[in-house]
Amino acid sequence: MDTLRADHLGCYGYHRRTSPNIDALAERSVVFENAIAAGIPTTPSFTTLLSGLHPYHTSVVTHPGRDRLPEDIRLLPQLAQDAGYVTAAVDNLVVQGSGRGSWFARGYHHYSGFLYAPFGSQSAQLTDSALSFVHGAGDRPLFLFVHYWDPHTPYGPLPPYDTMHYEAGTGPFDMDEVRAISPEYYDAFLADMQLRNPDDYSYVVAQYDGEISQVDEQIGRLVAGLESMGAWDDTIFLLVADHGECFGEGGLHFDHHGLYDAVTRIAMMLRLPDGTTGRLGALVSNEDVLPTLCEAADLPAPGYPLTGHSLLPALGGARDLPRSAVISTECTRQASVAIRTADEKLIVPITETDDGEDLPDVYGRPRNGDPLLFDLRADPAETHNLAATNPDRVSALADELNRWRAGALAGTGRPDPMTSQSLSLPYRHFVDRTRSRHGGDNDRARSHRRLN
């Protein structure tokens, strides 16, 4: 599920009933409470998930740009295909972006591509396609990758989901204050959503939550379909997000940038045929997905070292987990690297490329290059930057981060991907693209009408 913020699900403690089917699945699964994306947004995150390699090891740190995934890196569907599985995808990672993410097609016998279309019932159509692959596989082993795009922007759930979670005036921010951050950016961004009530922050959040509920129904259909076809008992079912969404964290709204936990902490749960259930609080990464599924399904692992680790030993009670920190990257709208431990996070802005090109912030402004330090135990919402008063902790975490980066680069022999390329979706490109989708019309009264 694209852009699914973990703490907007009931099984992760959300106060609204957005996800009854996912919550029911969680009861039958192992829920990973602290799963962190090693790279955001979609392209680097899914590349990591399907390769078991950190973005520093693949050089895929942006939406498809200059760097392509090397041909010798084998993805999960290729490993399943080698093991005799029928492999199928209901996905748009190849189709979106004019095919620039061509590596996402590797290893599939069948690839049902689509262009993301908001404001409709596309998720139901994707479920239909997914269930047709299950039916068509018969008794043959099947690897199936289904990529739902709800609740990605522009938010636009159909009735009754559009008002299901709306409580007027309960939002944490005033929309005039949000627009004042960058009027051009937010006027274009909110107009793109075609909202009926664009001046109430709680309404916008309710549209996001409504999209979660809309696709939650499809998760229920997918599970029920597997059960009705007699496939569920033999199914390993992983539900995972690529990243989350910001609702004010770091001064960012209705998008996914900044390496705050709102974006990098992902929903992830694994249902195994042996009935193992529970909640794992240990720090894990989406790098760990491929080795975990390879071990669970007895697939041959790639013949080179992975940065991910199988999580099955932890499910069996092993105490010594190999991961004390997750390194996260972003180089699409706001270039940064971060090191996150169980207790702390250090975010280091990257303000220029190796060639001296400035890398601005999300809003196109020059960036402050000072690091941000957060105490995640005392301040899980990351509202208090402690860097100025804790220089020793900043130095210690920065040293650990720099050693990790140096080691990763020594292993690949390639330039640092975070400083050797430009942002893949800079401010001007993003605003112009967003405005063009609604005809460049900035008349708020007109452009905020929902098209249902």
Side-chain angles (χ1 to χ4, degrees), residues 406-427:
L409 295 175
T412 65
R414 295 191 293 268
D416 188 329
M418 296 297 298
T419 57
S420 63
Q421 52 191 313
S422 303
L423 297 174
S424 66
L425 197 58
Y427 171 80

Side-chain angles (χ1 to χ4, degrees), residues 103-441:
W103 59 88
F104 288 112
R106 294 180 192 173
Y108 287 112
H109 293 107
H110 310 285
Y111 190 96
S112 179
F114 64 92
L115 288 173
Y116 171 50
F119 311 127
S121 58
Q122 188 175 63
S123 59
Q125 299 163 18
L126 304 186
T127 305
D128 293 342
S129 182
L131 290 174
S132 72
F133 282 126
V134 177
H135 183 268
D139 293 332
R140 294 172 294 172
L142 173 68
F143 174 89
L144 177 62
F145 175 59
V146 186
H147 184 181
Y148 294 105
W149 269 74
D150 311 42
H152 196 283
T153 54
Y155 315 141
L158 296 174
Y161 302 107
D162 57 336
T163 57
M164 180 178 288
H165 305 296
Y166 180 42
E167 299 175 55
T170 59
F173 299 98
D174 180 273
M175 287 299 290
D176 287 339
E177 295 176 357
V178 171
R179 285 196 178 90
I181 296 171
S182 177
E184 181 185 43
Y185 176 90
Y186 280 110
D187 279 350
F189 202 96
L190 291 165
D192 191 43
M193 293 200 216
Q194 305 168 8
L195 300 165
R196 282 199 297 265
N197 193 352
D199 297 317
D200 186 350
Y201 198 100
S202 58
Y203 183 82
V204 185
V205 176
Q207 302 314 289
Y208 177 83
D209 288 344
E211 288 214 336
I212 293 176
S213 293
Q214 183 168 276
V215 75
D216 176 78
E217 180 181 348
Q218 301 309 314
I219 299 298
R221 283 188 61 214
L222 188 56
V223 171
L226 288 163
E227 291 175 324
S228 68
M229 285 185 258
W232 181 251
D233 288 346
D234 295 324
T235 293
I236 298 167
F237 194 106
L238 175 78
L239 186 147
V240 64
D242 56 346
H243 53 73
E245 191 83 317
C246 276
F247 292 110
E249 291 81 6
L252 303 167
H253 301 268
F254 321 130
D255 212 341
H256 32 271
H257 305 287
L259 299 184
Y260 294 89
D261 265 16
V263 176
T264 58
R265 180 177 175 239
I266 57 174
M268 189 164 96
M269 60 192 69
L270 177 65
R271 183 267 177 186
L272 295 168
D274 67 5
T276 301
T277 61
R279 304 184 76 91
L280 187 69
L283 196 65
V284 303
S285 168
N286 58 351
E287 302 160 75
D288 303 326
V289 166
L290 181 141
T292 300
L293 293 182
C294 281
E295 183 174 356
D298 197 24
L299 300 180
Y304 45 80
L306 300 174
T307 61
H309 312 278
S310 174
L311 301 175
L312 291 193
L315 308 189
R319 294 180 180 273
D320 296 327
L321 294 177
R323 190 177 297 285
S324 60
V326 176
I327 311 299
S328 295
T329 66
E330 176 189 356
C331 197
T332 300
R333 297 287 309 285
Q334 182 152 302
S336 306
V337 293
I339 179 169
R340 190 208 195 274
T341 70
D343 301 323
E344 296 175 294
K345 181 190 289 182
L346 182 74
I347 301 175
V348 180
I350 297 176
T351 60
E352 64 178 27
T353 67
D354 292 338
D355 297 330
E357 176 187 351
D358 289 337
L359 296 175
D361 72 1
V362 167
Y363 305 116
R365 306 173 303 200
R367 295 189 68 192
N368 182 343
D370 294 340
L372 299 95
L373 175 69
F374 298 105
D375 179 345
L376 299 176
R377 297 294 187 190
D379 178 29
E382 298 168 291
T383 58
H384 303 293
N385 178 14
L386 304 177
T389 56
N390 291 267
D392 291 345
R393 290 306 305 149
V394 171
S395 179
L397 288 169
D399 287 347
E400 184 177 349
L401 175 59
N402 289 334
R403 284 194 300 271
W404 185 95
R405 292 171 72 184
L409 295 175
T412 65
R414 295 191 293 268
D416 188 329
M418 296 297 298
T419 57
S420 63
Q421 52 191 313
S422 303
L423 297 174
S424 66
L425 197 58
Y427 171 80
R428 189 74 262 159
H429 179 189
F430 180 81
V431 169
D432 290 347
R433 186 189 70 171
T434 302
R435 292 180 64 184
S436 70
R437 285 203 296 254
H438 56 89
D441 187 353

Side-chain angles (χ1 to χ4, degrees), residues 2 41-50 63-64 75 89-105 108 111-116 145-149 242-243:
D2 213 287
T42 299
T43 298
S45 184
F46 275 114
T47 300
T48 293
L49 183 144
L50 293 170
H63 281 314
L75 300 181
V90 183
D91 176 39
N92 75 336
L93 291 171
V94 174
V95 180
Q96 209 88 9
S98 302
R100 290 193 300 272
S102 58
W103 59 88
F104 288 112
Y108 287 112
Y111 190 96
S112 179
F114 64 92
L115 288 173
Y116 171 50
F145 175 59
V146 186
H147 184 181
Y148 294 105
W149 269 74
D242 56 346
H243 53 73

